[in-house]
Amino acid sequence: MDSISSDAARDGSICDEAIVLSVTSALAKDALSYFQSGKFHECIDILIQLNHKKRNDPKVLHNIAIAEYFKNACSNSKKLLEDLNTVKKQSEEFAKEPLEAVNPGSNVSVSKHQFDSTITTLNIAVTWFHLHQYAKCLSILDPLFLNIEPLDETIALQICFLMLDSALACHDAVKFLEVFGHLDKSFGVGFGTHEEIGSTMQLSSNQVSKTSSLLSSSAASDALKSDLAAAESGLCEEGLEYDNVLAEIEAEKRMKPVGHIPANNLLKTIGERSILTVDVKLELQLYKVRFLLLTRNVKLAKREVKHAMNIAQKRDSSMALLLKSQLEYAHGNHRKAIKLLLVSGIQKELRTSGIFNNNLGCIYYQLGKYQAASVLFSKALRNCSSLRKDNPVKLFSLSQDKSLLITYNCGVLYLACGKPLLAAQCFQKASLVFCRQPLLWLRIAECCILALQKGLLEEGNTSSDRSEIRVHVIGKGKWRQLMMEENGFVELGGSAQWPKLSLPLARVCLSNSMYLLNVSLMNDYSKSDLESPLSVMINETKEASWSDHGDADTNSELKEAKGGMNQDIIQNSLSAYKDIRRRENHLLKQALLANMAYVELELENPIKALSAANSLLQLPDCSKIYVFLGHIYAAEALCLLNRPGEAGAHLSAYLLGQEDFKLPFAQEDFDPWRMNMSSDCEETSDCSTGNARDSLKPEEARGALFANLAALFATQGHYDQARPFIQHALALLPSNVQATITAVYIDLMVGRSQDAVARLKQCTRVSFVPGRLEVRAS
Amino acid sequence: MNMNMEETATVWSLLKSDLRPIEDVVAEFNSKFPRDRRFTACNSLSLLLQARALASLLPLNFLPLLGPDLMLLRSTDRIIAFAIMYQCYPSEKPSVNPFVSDMMNAACNEQVEKHERAFILHLLQWNSYNKSKEILKLSAVDYIKSFDPSTHDFPELGELQREYGDKAGSGPSSHIAADYAVKKLLHDPDVPRGCDPNSPEFDVQPGGNPKIGCGDRDEAVTGILGSLTTGGLAPRWIRPCPPRYPVHQSELLWIDPDNKHELIWDDKMCADTSRGATVRDLLVKGLKVTLSPSEQEDITTALANDAKLVYHCGITPRKLPQLVEHNPQIAVEILTKLINSPEIVDYFTALVSMDMSLHSMEVVNRLTTAVELPKEFIRMYITNCISSCENAKQDKYMQNRLVRLVCVFLQSLIRNNIIDVKDLFIEVQAFCIDFSRIREAAGLFRLLKTLE
């Protein structure tokens, strides 16, 4: 009896279910079509109906969240994230239950399917990506990637591309390769599935570097050639000022875009675009070039970008051209970069005109044309903001919003132009994206120091700012504990107001930067243990490529010539890149310690200054410039700490004989700065002057050694020893204030006040100020 | 840190109050200057007072520059100044007073007027100098008038330092440079040397026309008072600013329009969940009975049409042995398609650990030709086979059958170069010798020998 009734009940429920299913799937179809046509209100109405029918179906809730987000013009990403996370949690809980409860049977996999949270997870990652949180995006996608085989191909591709873009944004070459390797396996576009093309390309690439002619080597069509020729003729060879750029753009507009298909993969709107319609092969080839650009393997990138041009020839070549332009930019061939940027045609699209202006601005910065670069960056920012206004529903307005990146570029530019306050504002805005990058914090600290030099700091550092140790009292009574505050990462920015520029802020920024640098170094070490196959290969190739990236290139070419081990090329690229990163981090560490010592001296804290200077001097393979700064800061700090003997030892390291100093470093020592500019870079001089323009000259450094040793002798009362040194110092630095004061001091102490006053009168930087008080009759 | 105009004027007027009792003057100072400003004021006074004291203290002669009689402050001013400096810190012991060393220096300086030295000693209450209370009731002028220079003897500096100096530092200094700082006040050497500033010749005459070179002592004193700061002139260090960290071209962000990563609509919502339902049902059946050829073909085509269906067909590692037993071909089909799955190891493990049978061996054998199997898996499987043979002792017939199967299987693996004999040589050889009575084992042994 029981069994019969339960059977009947089951039949009934199955029947009901079938009806419900057909109704709901019809509704679901309607909802989708409304969604695709952008009618989000109607779409949500239907979804709410669905939600009534199917209580708490995570997929319905998920789609409601998505539709709501679009309805509100993509404005509330925070709410979207909250909603999606709730849905995800819910479906994960549902997914657990039936697995445990239901006996092995067909419906297990059904329910699994129903509560699969892959799409929700992907959408969470997409949202973080557009909020520029690339590392977070990667960590969310990682579990999906580990189990990517069972996923539908479209979804899998979407996950992989998102991961590739995020890895690029994070400069995470290892992760990039991991994902790329998978795609390579699944879609068979590997590094070097085109041996023949590769080898012919290599030939022509040699020609290029010799003749430095773009046209002869270009694999593009005739139409493209004519474009290029026109662009070239429109380019004024001498002055590359902004007006010229405008003229070029105008000229370029007048040209008919023959044979040039507009950037249609940039134009697709939502729904239209199925990822399979995008040419996966071309995309992968482009990603390959991006990887090589990231690892700064310019030579190989050159070859691969040509292959990309070949693939793109009959289709859309704008992206390939843009990458080519980036390649020339990275190579230091700025004129070629400009031409290619123009030919890529991205300035014609409203969506990409901001990107065009930004990239052109980068080129002009490298050329040292700061004025033009500044105009271009502001134009790019305007493009972005107009995009935000015009296009509320044109979906991911967020995604096209590169304004924070452009703002960072502005910061770099303003700092180079000597405008610390503006630069700091830019960096602080950009910190939303870059707050985990040590370099950002160093830049803000540099803004503070520049502002100090320019007298723009408001003196008002309260004593609480200067106190360095904080002890937190936790608990009460016998449980009371004291906790020393750790010197960790200080959260600045975000929603909170940024403090004004000051030396204590510089100190905080430097310590943040150091903290982040150490964290990233530690991650690198621990990672290299885990990535078993990669690390083995890297270790093998490390020695080969230790000396120079150029060597690595030739290495890889040799190997390829021998037998085409393409994986080796990639690994060489990767290990060479790791080398570059290591050197950059090393340089960054030196810069941080030098800045720390300087800031601590300015804050009258010789103990900390000394410890920073000592750490700097203990670093192996330190740049000569930083060694010099380390010595000079340490000496001053030691003098302030009543340890003149040790201070003298630091300075006399540079003594030549009894009374002369050698140059502590040479102008060439600024060169390691530009470590991987290749030899055939055309416009190197421009970029080097840009960097070294306002830095310390070797002769000035020598003068500082004389002056400081004189000051040290004077404080010890050895005026006779001090006198010759201060004379030398003043000969080298005639109008230096500090040296003049030391000289006056010595004169006074030996009783030559006549000389002292004469010296004051000679010095161009002394002003005699009339007394400020009136006599008052008493 | 220096005094403002108003404060300077106040100090100046106090110094000029030489007719009022010194006590009153000091009291007025204390009332007009809040505690935190007193140090600044006293420091200025101290520097003014030292204009001469400094000259005599310096090892090298500073004196001719200032002139022996050039004291900026008059005697009465100096008395009042010392009183103020001392009384600023009344409640504390003299050794705590930051200016006590200045006072001691003055008290022991032969060139300082005797009445002034005696006054300081009274303030410090040195031995018999204990009349400070009475003296402070006098005005400065009266004190100097009533002073009798004959009755005093003055201590050595050392004696005073022993008494007060232990704890008295050398004034307000924070580091070595400040210790050696020279006071910043500098007489303009353009003023002729022989000029006697005390003579009325160059003083400004009220109502008269100012002469060239005339100056007003009051103006100088107030000017100095107003612009003196604590701390002296010290040698200065050149502190080069660290160079800006170079901008690498990759620091400027070159922007590449990324793939448009968009939010995705979940089109599985309320979708037909029957995807692969028939296959699933068939497979459930296939766990128990052998499927008919047409049923098998249905499964094969369905799996071929939908590459991802295999992940949703409901065959878990746990169920795999049942499927292998009843439908080995289907199992091979599914395992081949799952070869890229992250869970494939679990499936292999299930296959290895199931009881050895003709079917499982068939599945493994066919897999070896279809896909590349991990070496450890094959080794483990062979080891497992061999031990199964050895364990089947009770049933001789069964054992013989198993051994023959294993031998054929191994020969096939070796001929197809699936395994490297060296890896398993000893193990397999022992197996062959154990079962040498069976013809296939002997054959396998011969094969091994030829490969050796």
Side-chain angles (χ1 to χ4, degrees):
Chain A
M1 175 67 193
D2 278 356
S3 67
I4 293 172
S5 70
S6 75
D7 271 2
R10 203 173 61 200
D11 284 352
S13 73
I14 287 170
C15 190
D16 283 350
E17 265 174 29
I19 294 167
V20 168
L21 199 66
S22 65
V23 173
T24 52
S25 67
L27 280 176
K29 267 178 201 149
D30 288 351
L32 176 59
S33 68
Y34 278 130
F35 179 77
Q36 281 169 339
S37 50
K39 294 173 181 164
F40 301 115
H41 280 283
E42 291 87 340
C43 176
I44 290 170
D45 286 345
I46 292 180
L47 287 172
I48 290 170
Q49 285 181 42
L50 271 176
N51 194 32
H52 283 304
K53 288 197 165 49
K54 298 190 78 178
R55 273 271 157 233
N56 290 332
D57 180 343
K59 288 186 186 299
V60 177
L61 295 175
H62 166 270
N63 284 344
I64 289 179
I66 301 286
E68 285 274 359
Y69 180 67
F70 283 125
K71 193 187 81 182
N72 298 324
C74 306
S75 55
N76 197 345
S77 308
K78 197 167 163 250
K79 182 175 178 296
L80 176 67
L81 278 174
E82 278 166 17
D83 290 351
L84 289 179
N85 277 317
T86 317
V87 171
K88 189 180 175 196
K89 213 176 281 169
Q90 214 175 352
S91 34
E92 278 163 359
E93 270 162 31
F94 283 138
K96 270 183 218 155
E97 285 167 19
L99 264 181
E100 288 155 11
V102 178
N103 54 346
S106 59
N107 42 0
V108 172
S109 54
V110 175
S111 33
K112 232 184 178 176
H113 208 67
Q114 183 108 21
F115 302 119
D116 171 40
S117 60
T118 306
I119 295 204
T120 316
T121 312
L122 176 58
N123 280 336
I124 292 173
V126 167
T127 314
W128 280 120
F129 180 86
H130 294 305
L131 293 173
H132 305 288
Q133 302 294 318
Y134 305 114
K136 196 154 199 165
C137 175
L138 274 181
S139 71
I140 289 172
L141 289 176
D142 253 341
L144 293 188
F145 181 70
L146 284 179
N147 199 9
I148 203 160
E149 283 297 336
L151 299 180
D152 284 344
E153 219 158 55
T154 34
I155 302 290
L157 266 178
Q158 242 151 335
I159 291 172
C160 288
F161 284 143
L162 186 55
M163 287 184 88
L164 289 180
D165 280 335
S166 305
L168 281 175
C170 294
H171 302 284
D172 189 342
V174 175
K175 175 60 78 185
F176 183 96
L177 269 193
E178 196 183 313
V179 178
F180 192 89
H182 168 77
L183 283 174
D184 184 17
K185 209 171 65 184
S186 316
F187 297 93
V189 193
F191 282 90
T193 48
H194 49 274
E195 292 305 327
E196 289 169 36
I197 301 167
S199 56
T200 55
M201 281 305 158
Q202 205 173 341
L203 266 182
S204 63
S205 85
N206 287 336
Q207 283 166 7
V208 176
S209 52
K210 273 176 204 146
T211 60
S212 92
S213 150
L214 181 72
L215 300 179
S216 65
S217 68
S218 170
S221 63
D222 288 345
L224 194 61
K225 281 186 186 176
S226 71
D227 265 9
L228 276 168
E232 192 174 33
S233 66
L235 194 79
C236 174
E237 285 300 320
E238 293 300 315
L240 280 161
E241 291 303 339
Y242 182 66
D243 288 342
N244 291 328
V245 182
L246 287 181
E248 284 159 29
I249 295 170
E250 284 305 311
E252 210 272 336
K253 269 183 195 159
R254 271 180 262 118
M255 287 190 304
K256 295 262 168 64
V258 208
H260 181 77
I261 299 161
N264 55 9
N265 71 337
L266 302 169
L267 282 176
K268 293 202 180 78
T269 49
I270 192 170
E272 283 173 41
R273 183 194 190 223
S274 140
I275 198 118
L276 284 179
T277 64
V278 177
D279 192 326
V280 177
K281 201 176 165 196
L282 176 59
E283 287 288 333
L284 284 181
Q285 183 64 27
L286 293 175
Y287 274 114
K288 196 194 296 180
V289 178
R290 288 187 190 115
F291 170 79
L292 293 169
L293 279 172
L294 171 71
T295 56
R296 306 190 198 163
N297 191 340
V298 177
K299 279 187 184 164
L300 204 54
K302 218 167 192 170
R303 214 181 69 188
E304 295 291 342
V305 85
K306 272 170 197 150
H307 188 231
M309 291 292 296
N310 283 348
I311 300 177
Q313 208 171 356
K314 289 170 197 139
R315 292 158 249 183
D316 167 22
S317 58
S318 67
M319 283 306 295
L321 283 166
L322 190 59
L323 280 175
K324 217 169 165 183
S325 170
Q326 186 182 0
L327 176 68
E328 296 299 347
Y329 167 74
H331 208 43
N333 297 332
H334 299 122
R335 279 152 221 267
K336 274 190 206 170
I338 293 176
K339 282 177 219 162
L340 286 163
L341 196 57
L342 286 169
V343 176
S344 79
I346 61 165
Q347 71 272 30
K348 293 174 204 153
E349 288 304 327
L350 186 62
R351 272 164 184 279
T352 49
S353 57
I355 294 176
F356 170 79
N357 283 321
N358 172 72
N359 293 351
L360 198 57
C362 291
I363 300 175
Y364 274 72
Y365 177 94
Q366 297 296 347
L367 286 169
K369 318 270 186 204
Y370 293 157
Q371 189 58 39
S374 148
V375 173
L376 286 164
F377 285 146
S378 0
K379 225 178 151 199
L381 283 174
R382 272 203 305 281
N383 293 142
C384 285
S385 67
S386 74
L387 204 60
R388 269 195 302 260
K389 276 178 222 141
D390 288 357
N391 261 357
V393 191
K394 199 69 179 172
L395 311 187
F396 257 118
S397 34
L398 259 180
S399 79
Q400 310 301 329
D401 188 4
K402 305 289 183 191
S403 57
L404 286 175
L405 310 187
I406 301 168
T407 307
Y408 184 88
N409 287 347
C410 287
V412 174
L413 179 70
Y414 284 133
L415 191 58
C417 297
K419 297 177 184 164
L421 300 183
L422 279 174
Q425 275 175 14
C426 291
F427 287 131
Q428 288 166 356
K429 258 188 221 161
S431 71
L432 285 174
V433 184
F434 300 103
C435 65
R436 290 277 146 190
Q437 296 219 355
L439 192 50
L440 173 88
W441 295 99
L442 174 60
R443 293 289 178 216
I444 297 175
E446 284 177 345
C447 291
C448 296
I449 293 174
L450 186 58
L452 169 80
Q453 287 175 313
K454 298 209 152 202
L456 297 170
L457 287 190
E458 287 171 39
E459 211 43 66
N461 306 324
T462 57
S463 54
S464 67
D465 286 335
R466 291 196 175 210
S467 76
E468 287 149 49
I469 301 175
R470 279 194 205 162
V471 181
H472 297 279
V473 183
I474 301 164
K476 279 184 184 149
K478 65 174 179 175
W479 293 107
R480 189 158 71 186
Q481 311 275 320
L482 297 179
M483 189 178 70
M484 302 285 285
E485 194 167 88
E486 274 181 74
N487 190 17
F489 184 77
V490 179
E491 205 69 58
L492 283 173
S495 56
Q497 188 77 36
W498 270 83
K500 284 210 174 105
L501 293 193
S502 67
L503 285 174
L505 177 66
R507 172 193 274 163
V508 169
C509 289
L510 289 172
S511 108
N512 274 355
S513 186
M514 186 58 92
Y515 173 81
L516 291 171
L517 183 64
N518 287 338
V519 166
S520 81
L521 289 179
M522 251 161 26
N523 284 349
D524 281 356
Y525 288 129
S526 57
K527 239 188 209 167
S528 60
D529 291 339
L530 292 176
E531 49 188 56
S532 45
L534 280 179
S535 67
V536 173
M537 292 202 192
I538 290 160
N539 287 334
E540 282 168 359
T541 52
K542 198 179 275 171
E543 274 157 42
S545 60
W546 176 254
S547 51
D548 189 9
H549 196 188
D551 286 356
D553 280 347
T554 49
N555 256 351
S556 59
E557 274 174 13
L558 276 179
K559 275 190 185 157
E560 200 188 24
K562 274 181 199 159
M565 292 295 288
N566 287 291
Q567 208 53 34
D568 280 0
I569 300 177
I570 296 311
Q571 291 306 334
N572 273 341
S573 247
L574 187 62
S575 64
Y577 177 60
K578 285 192 162 182
D579 257 8
I580 293 175
R581 289 293 292 256
R582 204 177 297 125
R583 272 185 294 182
E584 277 179 356
N585 282 339
H586 188 58
L587 194 60
L588 185 59
K589 196 164 198 172
Q590 296 169 38
L592 285 176
L593 287 170
N595 278 287
M596 275 177 174
Y598 179 80
V599 167
E600 293 299 345
L601 280 176
E602 289 290 335
L603 285 169
E604 294 169 17
N605 192 345
I607 296 179
K608 276 204 157 186
L610 181 63
S611 94
N614 278 337
S615 325
L616 176 59
L617 290 171
Q618 277 158 15
L619 287 182
D621 305 321
C622 221
S623 143
K624 277 189 179 169
I625 297 163
Y626 286 120
V627 172
F628 163 72
L629 290 175
H631 280 305
I632 217 153
Y633 296 151
E636 186 178 355
L638 283 166
C639 181
L640 292 172
L641 292 168
N642 280 349
R643 290 152 70 181
E646 293 163 74
H650 277 288
L651 294 180
S652 47
Y654 290 104
L655 266 181
L656 270 183
Q658 287 295 313
E659 295 208 338
D660 200 8
F661 278 110
K662 59 185 170 190
L663 285 179
F665 53 87
Q667 194 64 46
E668 297 91 78
D669 286 314
F670 282 98
D671 276 1
W673 262 231
R674 309 167 15 255
M675 37 203 134
N676 60 337
M677 277 292 179
S678 14
S679 47
D680 53 344
C681 158
E682 285 172 0
E683 283 131 308
T684 39
S685 55
D686 287 338
C687 19
S688 68
T689 49
N691 277 333
R693 183 174 296 162
D694 41 11
S695 57
L696 197 60
K697 306 256 182 323
E699 274 301 325
E700 288 172 9
R702 186 161 160 254
L705 285 171
F706 277 116
N708 288 357
L709 191 58
L712 184 65
F713 279 134
T715 37
Q716 291 172 288
H718 308 315
Y719 306 112
D720 290 337
Q721 279 173 282
R723 278 173 64 83
F725 283 106
I726 201 66
Q727 297 298 355
H728 274 297
L730 284 172
L732 288 165
L733 311 164
S735 60
N736 184 284
V737 173
Q738 285 85 5
T740 308
I741 289 177
T742 306
V744 166
Y745 174 85
I746 295 168
D747 285 339
L748 286 179
M749 291 310 261
V750 298
R752 301 181 180 212
S753 68
Q754 209 91 32
D755 290 357
V757 175
R759 215 184 274 292
L760 285 174
K761 284 178 179 167
Q762 276 165 16
C763 179
T764 51
R765 287 168 72 181
V766 172
S767 47
F768 290 88
V769 189
R772 61 195 182 98
L773 283 173
E774 297 288 310
V775 198
R776 283 206 202 164
S778 50
Chain B
M1 275 301 273
N2 50 359
M3 292 195 286
N4 61 32
M5 239 150 52
E6 205 176 317
E7 287 171 330
T8 310
T10 311
V11 170
W12 183 236
S13 74
L14 288 174
L15 291 181
K16 296 278 105 185
S17 320
D18 50 1
L19 294 172
R20 292 168 60 194
I22 300 170
E23 252 181 5
D24 290 3
V25 178
V26 171
E28 192 184 338
F29 175 86
N30 283 349
S31 71
K32 289 206 170 154
F33 282 84
R35 270 184 176 276
D36 57 330
R37 295 298 300 164
R38 286 181 199 166
F39 177 78
T40 310
C42 291
N43 193 52
S44 298
L45 288 175
S46 152
L47 289 168
L48 266 182
L49 287 168
Q50 281 178 52
R52 199 175 109 158
L54 173 79
S56 59
L57 274 179
L58 286 173
L60 295 153
N61 203 353
F62 217 6
L63 214 55
L65 307 169
L66 293 168
D69 297 320
L70 177 62
M71 284 194 293
L72 281 162
L73 295 181
R74 295 187 183 90
S75 306
T76 49
D77 302 344
R78 295 175 66 84
I79 295 289
I80 293 171
F82 276 118
I84 288 175
M85 278 161 61
Y86 184 78
Q87 294 287 321
C88 241
Y89 300 87
S91 57
E92 290 143 30
K93 279 180 273 173
S95 57
V96 182
N97 190 313
F99 303 101
V100 76
S101 64
D102 296 344
M103 294 188 183
M104 292 191 305
N105 286 334
C108 304
N109 190 339
E110 296 290 328
Q111 281 160 338
V112 174
E113 300 270 359
K114 283 191 176 169
H115 61 80
E116 191 176 319
R117 296 169 67 190
F119 180 77
I120 295 169
L121 290 170
H122 279 295
L123 286 177
L124 292 172
Q125 300 183 328
W126 169 256
N127 290 347
S128 59
Y129 294 88
N130 49 12
K131 292 187 211 140
S132 66
K133 280 195 180 161
E134 295 95 273
I135 290 173
L136 289 174
K137 291 204 164 63
L138 301 172
S139 72
V141 173
D142 290 344
Y143 166 73
I144 294 174
K145 268 187 204 159
S146 65
F147 182 74
D148 175 6
S150 60
T151 57
H152 292 88
D153 57 332
F154 294 101
E156 291 289 309
L157 183 58
E159 290 177 65
L160 280 181
Q161 278 175 339
R162 271 192 294 284
E163 177 71 22
Y164 306 109
D166 283 351
K167 287 168 210 155
S170 47
S173 67
S174 56
H175 52 71
I176 184 172
D179 286 352
Y180 290 91
V182 71
K183 308 305 176 194
K184 281 181 276 198
L185 194 56
L186 192 61
H187 188 68
D188 189 339
D190 288 354
V191 175
R193 287 207 179 184
C195 174
D196 175 9
N198 283 337
S199 92
E201 188 192 346
F202 289 110
D203 279 354
V204 182
Q205 304 298 325
N209 290 328
K211 299 178 199 169
I212 291 173
C214 74
D216 185 348
R217 182 201 298 259
D218 295 358
E219 182 186 340
V221 171
T222 50
I224 291 164
L225 270 178
S227 24
L228 276 178
T229 52
T230 54
L233 177 73
R236 285 261 204 107
W237 287 64
I238 296 182
R239 188 182 293 160
C241 184
R244 255 203 316 282
Y245 185 77
V247 177
H248 187 267
Q249 48 94 359
S250 70
E251 185 183 350
L252 281 178
L253 300 157
W254 179 279
I255 302 176
D256 196 12
D258 37 36
N259 258 306
K260 287 204 315 178
H261 302 290
E262 273 147 5
L263 292 173
I264 308 167
W265 178 267
D266 193 340
D267 49 14
K268 301 270 168 30
M269 172 182 75
C270 308
D272 185 10
T273 48
S274 64
R275 174 191 183 187
T278 39
V279 172
R280 272 198 298 276
D281 291 344
L282 280 175
L283 283 172
V284 171
K285 192 176 159 197
L287 296 178
K288 288 163 195 140
V289 294
T290 306
L291 298 171
S292 71
S294 70
E295 284 171 330
Q296 291 194 12
E297 201 182 316
D298 284 349
I299 294 177
T300 317
T301 43
L303 286 178
N305 288 339
D306 185 347
K308 305 289 178 180
L309 181 60
V310 68
Y311 295 99
H312 309 286
C313 66
I315 297 297
T316 59
R318 205 154 49 86
K319 293 180 203 159
L320 182 69
Q322 289 168 274
L323 187 68
V324 168
E325 278 312 315
H326 295 103
N327 295 284
Q329 297 92 333
I330 299 295
V332 169
E333 193 81 26
I334 286 177
L335 286 174
T336 321
K337 288 198 185 308
L338 281 174
I339 196 71
N340 284 329
S341 159
E343 288 175 3
I344 190 68
V345 179
D346 298 339
Y347 287 95
F348 285 152
T349 315
L351 193 55
V352 170
S353 24
M354 69 182 282
D355 289 336
M356 204 198 78
S357 68
L358 177 61
H359 281 170
S360 84
M361 219 175 278
E362 182 190 343
V363 168
V364 174
N365 194 30
R366 283 181 56 184
L367 272 181
T368 56
T369 51
V371 292
E372 194 165 335
L373 289 176
K375 283 225 160 34
E376 317 83 65
F377 163 71
I378 300 179
R379 277 190 70 165
M380 232 160 93
Y381 187 75
I382 293 172
T383 315
N384 193 23
C385 286
I386 292 174
S387 62
S388 294
C389 292
E390 285 158 356
N391 292 340
K393 276 173 192 147
Q394 315 85 320
D395 189 343
K396 274 281 175 216
Y397 171 74
M398 190 62 196
Q399 193 185 37
N400 281 356
R401 216 183 134 220
L402 279 178
V403 170
R404 284 163 66 192
L405 273 175
V406 170
C407 289
V408 172
F409 175 63
L410 282 173
Q411 282 188 20
S412 137
L413 289 185
I414 292 170
R415 290 221 172 84
N416 292 326
N417 282 327
I418 305 285
I419 56 166
D420 190 350
V421 195
K422 286 186 207 105
D423 294 344
L424 287 160
F425 194 80
I426 296 173
E427 216 174 341
V428 175
Q429 201 175 32
F431 169 76
C432 291
I433 293 168
D434 273 0
F435 297 100
S436 52
R437 62 193 155 82
I438 298 169
R439 189 157 48 88
E440 281 81 0
L444 180 62
F445 189 76
R446 276 195 297 281
L447 180 64
L448 285 179
K449 282 293 160 200
T450 58
L451 290 173
E452 210 173 1

